[in-house]
Amino acid sequence: MKTLIDKQRTFFNTNRTKDPNFRIEQLKRLKVLLLANQERLNKAIYADFKKSPFETFTNEFGLVFLGIDEACKKLKKWSKHKRVRTNWINFPAKSYIIPEPLGVSLVIGAWNYPYQLSFAPVIAAIAAGNTVILKPSELPSNTSRLIAELINQHFDEAFFHVVEGGIPETTALLEQHFDKIFFTGSPNVGRVVYQAAAKHLTPVTLELGGKSPAIFTEDADLKMGIKRLVWAKFLNSGQTCIAPDYLLIPRSLKDQFLAMAKKEILQARYSVENGNYIQIINDRNIQRLKGLIDPEKVYFGGDINEVERIIEPTILYPVTFQDTVMQEEIFGPLLPVLTYDSLDEAISEIKKREKPLSCYIFTKDSSLKNKLLTELSFGGGAINEGIMHISNSRLPFGGVGQSGTGSYHGEAGFRAFSHYKSVLEKANWLETKLKYSPYSERKLKWIKRLMRI
């Protein structure tokens, strides 16, 4: 590991990555490589999850390709020196900010979207001018193996290299000194990454998770809201960090909601055969999710095929905040439904818990929308929609509190892997005596005047 990192640090110090044209060339090479191997990449993820080519493109590579195209188009602009106003006390001078790459970066990807959550931060790191070591998740072993094969055959390891493995390999990587670490995964592992980075004072971006609520108000458009909520919840079989984790709905709407949600699930015809559903990642998670299902609270679904690692879309009702399913992030196709009598009550319950990565508000009332947006803290979210905020690269994506630190996507990703160096450039044709000895009351008066104090 140390030899690999030393190679990357030596390469970074040649300053080649600081050339925007070099960065664009590498990003274009990555896109060409991924496009040329789409069939193999589709087969690998199908072997891991039974994920269809349609969802592999829309949920994984579509966002990756958009990210590459945007970076290639805009990174020269993002890399430019930015002039800022100089105050009178420094006259005559100019001030500017220089974006510069941090250096050798480590990206630790997540298993639930093994292509998107590996390559999206890599794109940001390359666009900003860093070298990259990518550690994809070992759980989807076929995708991890193929990612390593393709990247390591087509990129110089001194610039971009993939390290495969599990906990021992990740631990060995984290013992090394990086200039930036980007991690996507659970809060528990995030703490381990943060602690390891602290030994070297390495800056970290943590994309974590949490129990993201969906809230319907009395006036919500039930038909459209349920359609969007059901899609967002059961996409990727619920194995999405920004999936609606649970639903809060007015008690008066519960019967209507439950009937309409059941109908929507049936109409969607979720199955691997239909290409709109995938397997649970492994047997351990099947058993974990099985333990979250209280048979007495299954309103719809609940069937589990342990051999095929499939849990059908499941609605749980009635659920309380004390139930087992409400004690951890679900990360699976289970939707707990909780009722509330007043919106203040719902807000209070959410605020008692850790700040979520996402929040979804379904309402037509602007005052209620603003109330929820003002009073609830969350990483990002949507009004009358679910998950889709991730598709707008102009919206920085990240968590808050236990759901993460830092953000990325678009220019926010470039900034995550950059240091913004501040420079004051002074002219030589004039120099006042104000700051030099001997000091006097008159000089102090002028200094205060220039500082407008």
Side-chain angles (χ1 to χ4, degrees):
M1 300 299 184
K2 186 177 187 306
T3 301
L4 174 61
I5 292 162
D6 287 345
K7 283 183 179 179
Q8 291 213 346
R9 199 170 302 284
T10 299
F11 183 80
F12 178 77
N13 287 333
T14 66
N15 294 319
R16 283 190 66 192
T17 66
K18 293 184 178 179
D19 179 0
N21 291 318
F22 173 83
R23 307 178 201 178
I24 292 170
E25 177 187 339
Q26 302 307 312
L27 289 170
K28 288 182 176 179
R29 176 186 294 185
L30 176 59
K31 183 177 180 180
V32 168
L33 178 64
L34 296 176
L35 284 169
N37 289 275
Q38 281 286 278
E39 187 173 349
R40 293 184 66 195
L41 291 161
N42 286 343
K43 287 180 178 178
I45 201 169
Y46 188 83
D48 286 329
F49 288 107
K50 296 290 191 291
K51 194 167 192 173
S52 69
F54 183 95
E55 290 205 335
T56 299
F57 183 83
T58 57
N59 304 341
E60 306 256 8
F61 285 114
L63 295 176
V64 169
F65 295 147
L66 285 174
I68 291 175
D69 291 345
E70 180 179 21
C72 288
K73 181 180 179 182
K74 297 181 180 178
L75 72 82
K76 287 186 178 180
K77 178 183 176 183
W78 296 339
S79 303
K80 282 184 177 179
H81 296 191
K82 180 184 178 183
R83 286 286 298 268
V84 295
R85 185 177 176 182
T86 302
N87 53 0
W88 277 106
I89 203 167
N90 283 303
F91 180 83
K94 59 183 178 180
S95 303
Y96 46 91
I97 300 168
I98 304 173
E100 64 176 12
L102 290 168
V104 181
S105 63
L106 171 64
V107 172
I108 304 175
W111 58 261
N112 54 321
Y113 291 90
Y115 296 138
Q116 186 217 134
L117 296 180
S118 292
F119 289 119
V122 164
I123 292 164
I126 293 175
N130 301 272
T131 65
V132 189
I133 293 173
L134 168 63
K135 165 58 183 70
S137 173
E138 72 279 9
L139 295 186
S141 58
N142 293 284
T143 56
S144 176
R145 191 180 310 118
L146 184 54
I147 287 171
E149 176 192 327
L150 293 177
I151 298 304
N152 294 347
Q153 285 181 359
H154 293 86
F155 285 88
D156 182 351
E157 69 174 356
F159 170 67
F160 180 19
H161 191 74
V162 176
V163 173
E164 278 201 282
I167 294 175
E169 289 77 11
T170 305
T171 302
L173 279 169
L174 289 172
E175 290 172 353
Q176 309 306 315
H177 178 208
F178 289 92
D179 300 298
K180 173 73 180 187
I181 297 176
F182 189 107
F183 169 78
T184 305
S186 70
N188 288 337
V189 181
R191 291 188 183 93
V192 175
V193 173
Y194 218 173
Q195 289 169 356
K199 295 176 184 177
H200 302 285
L201 295 179
T202 299
V204 178
T205 297
L206 300 175
E207 298 297 341
L208 307 177
K211 296 189 74 64
S212 298
I215 308 158
F216 276 67
T217 63
E218 289 275 3
D219 67 299
D221 183 328
L222 273 186
K223 183 177 181 181
M224 185 60 73
I226 288 170
K227 186 175 188 66
R228 291 170 177 168
L229 175 73
V230 165
W231 175 83
K233 176 62 188 181
F234 298 112
L235 178 72
N236 218 48
S237 292
Q239 299 170 112
T240 304
C241 60
I242 53 173
D245 192 271
Y246 63 98
L247 172 68
L248 284 163
I249 192 160
R251 193 178 306 278
S252 60
L253 294 180
K254 67 174 176 62
D255 292 334
Q256 191 177 357
F257 172 86
L258 290 168
M260 292 175 70
K262 176 181 176 180
K263 181 179 179 182
E264 181 63 32
I265 293 171
L266 290 170
Q267 287 178 343
R269 299 174 62 241
Y270 286 106
S271 71
V272 170
E273 292 72 25
N274 289 333
N276 63 351
Y277 212 54
I278 68 169
Q279 292 176 318
I280 303 303
I281 181 63
N282 55 23
D283 293 332
R284 184 177 68 82
N285 273 279
I286 279 282
Q287 296 306 317
R288 180 184 65 81
L289 290 165
K290 184 178 179 180
L292 298 180
I293 300 174
D294 182 345
E296 294 184 1
K297 297 194 174 185
V298 174
Y299 171 82
F300 175 79
D303 285 348
I304 302 175
N305 185 330
E306 295 187 32
V307 175
E308 294 295 324
R309 304 203 315 269
I310 297 291
I311 298 178
E312 70 173 324
T314 301
I315 298 175
L316 300 174
Y317 178 83
V319 174
T320 70
F321 281 100
Q322 286 67 50
D323 288 343
T324 302
V325 74
M326 293 301 295
Q327 306 312 307
E328 63 179 71
E329 184 178 5
I330 295 169
F331 228 72
L334 315 178
L335 177 62
V337 177
L338 296 86
T339 59
Y340 66 86
D341 293 310
S342 74
L343 192 57
D344 286 330
E345 170 197 341
I347 291 172
S348 176
E349 289 293 347
I350 294 170
K351 291 171 77 170
K352 288 177 185 176
R353 288 150 182 86
E354 296 290 350
K355 296 175 181 179
L357 180 57
S358 298
C359 180
Y360 305 108
I361 299 165
F362 293 85
T363 185
K364 292 184 286 187
D365 188 319
S366 59
S367 64
L368 294 181
K369 174 193 72 175
N370 292 331
K371 177 180 175 68
L372 288 161
L373 290 176
T374 300
E375 296 191 26
L376 294 177
S377 178
F378 51 90
I383 311 297
N384 298 317
E385 180 58 286
I387 288 184
M388 288 300 291
H389 61 293
I390 195 175
S391 65
N392 184 355
S393 65
R394 294 177 181 85
L395 291 173
F397 179 83
V400 58
Q402 188 162 293
S403 61
T405 178
S407 60
Y408 73 125
H409 288 182
E411 188 174 6
F414 179 91
R415 296 180 69 89
F417 285 89
S418 299
H419 166 64
Y420 283 75
K421 186 163 54 183
S422 300
V423 178
L424 174 74
E425 184 176 336
K426 201 71 174 280
N428 293 319
W429 55 270
L430 176 68
E431 178 73 335
T432 70
K433 298 179 181 180
L434 288 176
K435 68 183 181 184
Y436 300 105
S437 298
Y439 300 147
S440 68
E441 286 295 324
R442 184 177 180 181
K443 283 185 178 181
L444 184 58
K445 180 188 286 187
W446 273 105
I447 288 172
K448 288 182 176 181
R449 185 176 295 177
L450 288 170
M451 294 176 70
R452 298 182 179 178
I453 294 175

